[in-house]
Amino acid sequence: MVENNQNTLDPNIVSKILGLSEEISAAAEAAGRDPEDVRLMAVSKFHPAVKIRSALEFGHRLFGENRVQEAASKYSSLKLEYPDLRLHLIGPLQTNKVREAVKLFDVIETLDRPRLAEALSKEKKRKGACPNLFIQVNTGEEEKKSGVMPGNADSFISQCLEEFKLPVIGLMCIPPVNDEPALHFALLAETARRHGLKYLSMGMSSDFKSAIMLGATHVRIGTSIFGSRVAIGGS
Ligand SMILES: *Cc1c(COP(=O)(O)O)cnc(C)c1O
C-alpha cells in the first residue's frame, strides 16, 4: 500500500498524544518521579500507516505492534523515513518469526520461554546484534495469556542473562482484565528490582496512572490515541 499524506496531520491524534503526555507527566510528578523516565508508547495494531504517519509528523517516535507480519508491512518503509522511530513488539513471538522480528523491532517485550530465548540467542550470534529485550511475566497466571509464570520468573530471568547472554533490560505484564492492576504492577516492579532491571512496560489506557505510581517506564496506549480498532481477530 502506498501512502501519500505528507501534510495530513490528524488534529485528533495530535491532541490525544498531547493530552496523554500531560497526564503522564502529572502522574510521574505526583509519584515523585522524573517525567522524562516515563515514555508513552503508541500502540498502532490494526491501525493503518496513515494514522501512524500523523503521530510521526507531529514528532512522536515510540510505537508498539503485536504482530511481526503486520508491523513489517506498515513500518518497514516508515523506519527508513524516520530513522529515530522506535518500535516495540508487544505481542507473542513464535520462534519461526525470530529472524524477521530481530530485523524489524528495536525492543522485543515478549520473551517468555526457554525455546524463544534459545532462538534469540542463536540469531544474536548469527547477526552479531540483538534488540533489547523485556521478559513478559504472566502475573495473573492466566492460562490463555503468554508470559513466564511468576514462580518461574526469577530462574528464567537469570537463565536469559547468564546462560543465553541476552540483553534483557526490563519486564512487561498485562494484568487480568477483572483484577486490581496495582497488585500486578507491584509484583512486576519487585521482580525487576531483584534482578536490577531498569525498565517496566506496564499500564494501558485505563490504568497507566497506577502503573506510573508503581514504577512504569513504558505505558502502552492504543485506543486512546488512534481510536477503536476494527476487530479482525485477536485483541
Ligand atoms: C493492544 C495492546 C495495548 C493497547 O491497548 P488499548 O486498549 O488499545 O489502549 C497495550 N498492550 C498490549 C500488549 C496490547 O496488545
Side-chain angles (χ1 to χ4, degrees):
M1 184 167 41
V2 176
E3 301 279 4
N4 185 12
N5 297 282
Q6 288 307 324
N7 298 305
T8 51
L9 213 143
D10 183 335
N12 204 25
I13 289 175
V14 169
S15 73
K16 291 285 170 56
I17 292 176
L18 277 172
L20 280 162
S21 302
E22 276 172 26
E23 286 185 73
I24 288 166
S25 293
E29 271 163 18
R33 302 181 54 202
D34 184 346
E36 297 275 302
D37 291 342
V38 187
R39 280 166 242 173
L40 169 62
M41 183 188 309
V43 178
S44 53
K45 62 177 184 234
F46 299 150
H47 293 290
V50 58
K51 287 192 177 183
I52 301 164
R53 190 179 286 284
S54 252
L56 281 163
E57 280 178 36
F58 167 64
H60 193 78
R61 289 295 179 268
L62 178 62
F63 296 86
E65 279 279 341
N66 275 49
R67 294 171 188 204
V68 178
Q69 228 59 58
E70 180 188 348
S73 77
K74 292 188 291 190
Y75 279 91
S76 297
S77 59
L78 289 173
K79 283 187 70 156
L80 297 175
E81 277 179 72
Y82 296 91
D84 58 342
L85 181 169
R86 290 292 171 266
L87 186 60
H88 288 215
L89 177 65
I90 58 172
L93 177 60
Q94 294 168 275
T95 48
N96 64 358
K97 301 254 173 72
V98 160
R99 185 164 296 184
E100 198 176 1
V102 163
K103 211 166 80 187
L104 180 69
F105 290 95
D106 300 287
V107 174
I108 294 171
E109 294 198 2
T110 49
L111 172 54
D112 66 351
R113 58 197 191 278
R115 260 176 55 80
L116 181 56
E118 196 184 343
L120 284 162
S121 156
K122 270 193 193 141
E123 185 61 13
K124 175 175 175 258
K125 281 191 196 120
R126 195 188 69 86
K127 234 189 137 182
C130 182
N132 282 329
L133 304 168
F134 288 26
I135 288 174
Q136 182 177 358
V137 182
N138 189 352
T139 56
E141 305 188 35
E142 294 173 279
E143 230 162 72
K144 286 198 176 146
K145 203 161 268 172
S146 14
V148 59
M149 289 295 171
N152 300 332
D154 285 319
S155 64
F156 183 59
I157 293 166
S158 299
Q159 185 186 25
C160 288
L161 290 167
E162 287 150 28
E163 183 185 332
F164 293 111
K165 309 255 184 286
L166 289 169
V168 174
I169 60 166
L171 300 180
M172 180 270 223
C173 77
I174 311 169
V177 277
N178 296 316
D179 251 19
E180 166 55 48
L183 300 172
H184 299 270
F185 299 152
L187 172 63
L188 198 72
E190 185 48 41
T191 309
R193 208 171 297 127
R194 281 201 294 276
H195 294 270
L197 300 174
K198 195 174 162 194
Y199 298 101
L200 289 168
S201 174
M202 57 190 199
M204 302 170 37
S205 302
S206 57
D207 55 19
F208 70 86
K209 288 177 189 167
S210 147
I212 290 168
M213 199 60 77
L214 290 160
T217 57
H218 296 72
V219 296
R220 310 180 305 263
I221 298 183
T223 313
S224 301
I225 295 173
F226 296 112
S228 53
R229 299 179 278 274
V230 183
I232 48 169
S235 65

